[in-house]
Amino acid sequence: LEGRFSGDTVRLGRAGWVVVDEAARMEGGALPEIWLGREGAPSHRFVFRDNLRADAAETVARLTARGFEIELLSGDREAAVREVANRLGIARFAHDVRPQDKMARFKQLRASSRRVLMVGDGINDAPALAEAHVSMSPGSAAAVASTQADFVFLGEDLSPVADTAELARRAMAIVRGNFALALAYNAVAVPVA
């Protein structure tokens, strides 16, 4: 965010955008942070800790077992993203990722004939949620994220992500079976008729 206060520009956001003082920026650690800066004044760092959802590791494991390749794309600093990725068993992750970087990654995946399921809950996730083939967002997400998602799930658990993916695969198997049956039927019935 950027605004004007008593004629000065005031910014709230990531360190590289807000902070001018390199020494202050180096104070950053492993936890997610946000900075507040005003022209001609020292910048202030706010540190917070996001708690993982209770079933996050289980959901990642279920999706991985089903053949999904999981990537964690986050705007947070490297140490914070690495810690979460390690706790969840996610091998591929990226830090300091902006919304346009997420969309660029999705375009790369599309170019290699991959389909993307995006799960996100923040304002900065909204463009990526719209860009993905399929997107999901928890009901507690920012309103703009929820409106961009294809599916909104309720509750604190992430299990609806894995449940939906499994249901979609079963439904697709039924559709393919129906097409095969229709082709076989028409291959026999049309010549007989």
Side-chain angles (χ1 to χ4, degrees):
L1 298 173
E2 180 179 88
R4 304 283 294 166
F5 180 75
S6 297
D8 294 333
T9 299
V10 179
R11 287 183 172 177
L12 177 70
R14 60 187 312 158
W17 185 62
V18 171
V19 180
V20 177
D21 181 6
E22 189 63 29
R25 190 192 333 214
M26 299 315 291
E27 293 176 17
L31 295 176
E33 62 187 23
I34 191 165
W35 288 80
L36 176 65
R38 180 177 177 180
E39 289 177 325
S43 297
H44 301 281
R45 180 171 62 113
F46 298 91
V47 179
F48 56 94
R49 175 179 288 280
D50 286 326
N51 293 323
L52 294 178
R53 293 178 187 251
D55 67 336
E58 177 188 336
T59 300
V60 169
R62 280 178 63 193
L63 290 168
T64 302
R66 297 279 187 263
F68 286 85
E69 294 179 21
I70 309 295
E71 292 187 29
L72 175 61
L73 306 176
S74 175
D76 290 331
R77 296 174 66 110
E78 180 179 7
V81 177
R82 181 180 303 281
E83 177 195 345
V84 169
N86 288 339
R87 288 173 60 190
L88 297 179
I90 299 173
R92 186 178 183 115
F93 63 90
H95 56 89
D96 297 308
V97 179
R98 291 178 232 169
Q100 61 268 29
D101 301 330
K102 291 176 186 179
M103 294 189 317
R105 176 65 181 140
F106 294 173
K107 287 176 183 169
Q108 286 176 340
L109 291 168
R110 268 202 185 109
S112 62
S113 300
R114 306 299 296 272
R115 283 172 270 162
V116 176
L117 163 62
M118 164 74 178
V119 180
D121 65 354
I123 293 170
N124 62 345
D125 289 327
L129 287 164
E131 182 74 25
H133 286 93
V134 178
S135 58
M136 298 181 74
S137 187
S140 60
V144 69
S146 294
T147 59
Q148 293 300 317
D150 298 312
F151 298 95
V152 175
F153 56 92
L154 302 177
E156 293 300 314
D157 291 345
L158 286 176
S159 60
V161 175
D163 294 343
T164 302
E166 290 168 4
L167 180 63
R169 284 197 169 169
R170 284 199 306 268
M172 198 61 198
I174 291 169
V175 168
R176 286 187 181 118
N178 287 342
F179 275 127
L181 182 63
L183 286 173
Y185 174 80
N186 286 326
V188 173
V190 169
V192 169

